[in-house]
Amino acid sequence: MKSFLKDQRTTNFLTKFFTYLFLLALSIVILYPILITASSAFKPGNIAAFTLEWSDSWTLDNFVRLFNETLYLDWYRNTLIIAVTTMIFQVAIVTIAGYTYSRYRFKGRKNSLIFFLIIQMVPTMAALTAFYVLAMLLGALDQFWFLTLIYIGGGIPMNIWLMKGYFDTVPRDLDESAKLDGAGHFRIFGQIILPLVRPMIAVQALWAFMGPFGDFLLAKFLLRTPENLTIAVGLQSFIANPQQQKVALFAAGAILAALPICLLFFFLQKNFVSGLTAGGTKG
């Protein structure tokens, strides 16, 4: 018995040791680039490369130059408009569609779900030419609304699958009980089922909002004038020329670009809780 307990304690110790070791290594991998970016953003003058050096002299001149000497505020506004619009419409469409596919049986349901998977397999690179030709035909080149529609549509197929899977975890007993009490379809969806899938809705909202901030390829391909660029494309112009790299401005802009995503994450984090349906059928 003592030998068994000793082996059990050894196993628990090793499990915790390697778990914490893995988390420490993961933290270093995540924090190191952030520290380099922060260090570069507050350095005086322009620098030629990203370095992790903490000196006594810190300055906000790079942020001032970012606002006064570049079109960063225009890029920031453009990206926020596209990101918020994408988030609202994509989350609404995906939530309603996921509920429909989860709770109702209709003709073409299975085939359309398979079609969504097939569409998702097509990489963005393969569709760039099609997007460009379509933009030319619609007169939508260098237009925010066309890029926003692509972001919305591109996130729908796979996210419908994810949302449907989450709706499937909600017990159907809740629907049946509500119907017996006289609740209609809209009331069941809005007042009973929707609050139980808030974790997935929050995740979908965060993903949709982050997309335009991190996407470079589509925005670079479809946007033309400097005033209409997004943050990703605008910041890339700071380091595109090897002879005139503005690393400090790039780092300062990257830090400010992360702020809306961080704020949205902290605002939604209370909804990142699974298992809400565990007590849904009690009582």
Side-chain angles (χ1 to χ4, degrees):
M1 185 64 178
K2 292 182 179 180
S3 177
F4 173 77
L5 293 176
K6 183 178 180 181
D7 292 341
Q8 187 68 27
R9 286 195 296 267
T10 303
T11 302
N12 293 337
F13 172 78
L14 292 176
T15 301
K16 292 181 178 179
F17 174 78
F18 286 109
T19 299
Y20 288 123
L21 184 64
F22 171 76
L23 292 176
L24 178 62
L26 190 62
S27 300
I28 294 175
V29 171
I30 295 174
L31 292 177
Y32 187 71
I34 297 177
L35 292 176
I36 290 179
T37 304
S39 172
S40 303
F42 292 97
K43 286 182 179 179
N46 195 24
I47 54 178
F50 291 96
T51 56
L52 183 57
E53 296 179 1
W54 300 100
S55 60
D56 295 334
S57 57
W58 279 44
T59 179
L60 296 176
D61 290 345
N62 295 320
F63 296 91
V64 175
R65 290 175 55 203
L66 194 67
F67 296 142
N68 295 333
E69 301 177 11
T70 71
L71 298 173
Y72 186 78
L73 287 178
D74 293 330
W75 303 337
Y76 210 96
R77 183 190 65 246
N78 300 340
T79 309
L80 279 177
I81 293 174
I82 295 173
V84 172
T85 305
T86 301
M87 178 183 66
I88 293 174
F89 283 94
Q90 187 178 116
V91 170
I93 294 172
V94 167
T95 302
I96 295 174
Y99 176 78
T100 303
Y101 278 104
S102 174
R103 288 306 198 257
Y104 299 102
R105 300 295 180 267
F106 50 88
K107 188 176 181 180
R109 174 179 175 273
K110 183 178 180 180
N111 292 333
S112 59
L113 286 172
I114 296 176
F115 179 68
F116 288 154
L117 282 181
I118 295 175
I119 291 179
Q120 200 65 33
M121 295 177 185
V122 180
T124 304
M125 285 288 294
L128 282 179
T129 303
F131 289 148
Y132 184 82
V133 173
L134 184 60
M136 292 291 291
L137 293 175
L138 297 176
L141 200 62
D142 201 27
Q143 298 293 325
F144 294 156
W145 64 266
F146 184 73
L147 184 62
T148 304
L149 286 179
I150 294 178
Y151 286 143
I152 295 173
I156 286 177
M158 183 55 67
N159 289 330
I160 284 180
W161 269 95
L162 296 176
M163 187 61 75
K164 172 191 173 299
Y166 203 88
F167 274 114
D168 288 341
T169 64
V170 179
R172 292 181 177 271
D173 296 345
L174 297 176
D175 302 54
E176 301 300 329
S177 300
K179 288 179 181 178
L180 292 176
D181 292 337
H185 295 288
F186 290 102
R187 185 176 180 184
I188 294 174
F189 171 70
Q191 297 185 4
I192 299 175
I193 306 299
L194 201 60
L196 299 178
V197 297
R198 283 189 303 175
M200 180 55 70
I201 293 177
V203 171
Q204 295 284 350
L206 186 61
W207 285 351
F209 186 82
M210 289 172 56
F213 278 89
D215 177 68
F216 170 81
L217 191 61
L218 279 173
K220 177 69 174 179
F221 203 71
L222 297 175
L223 300 178
R224 290 290 183 267
T225 56
E227 296 81 5
N228 288 343
L229 300 182
T230 59
I231 285 181
V233 182
L235 289 181
Q236 190 271 344
S237 65
F238 291 159
I239 57 175
N241 187 354
Q243 305 300 327
Q244 296 179 347
Q245 288 192 338
K246 302 176 181 177
V247 175
L249 292 182
F250 179 93
I255 290 178
L256 294 179
L259 291 181
I261 299 175
C262 294
L263 291 176
L264 182 63
F265 174 80
F266 286 116
F267 177 75
L268 295 175
Q269 69 173 347
K270 62 179 179 295
N271 296 307
F272 296 150
V273 180
S274 300
L276 291 178
T277 61
T281 56
K282 291 183 180 180

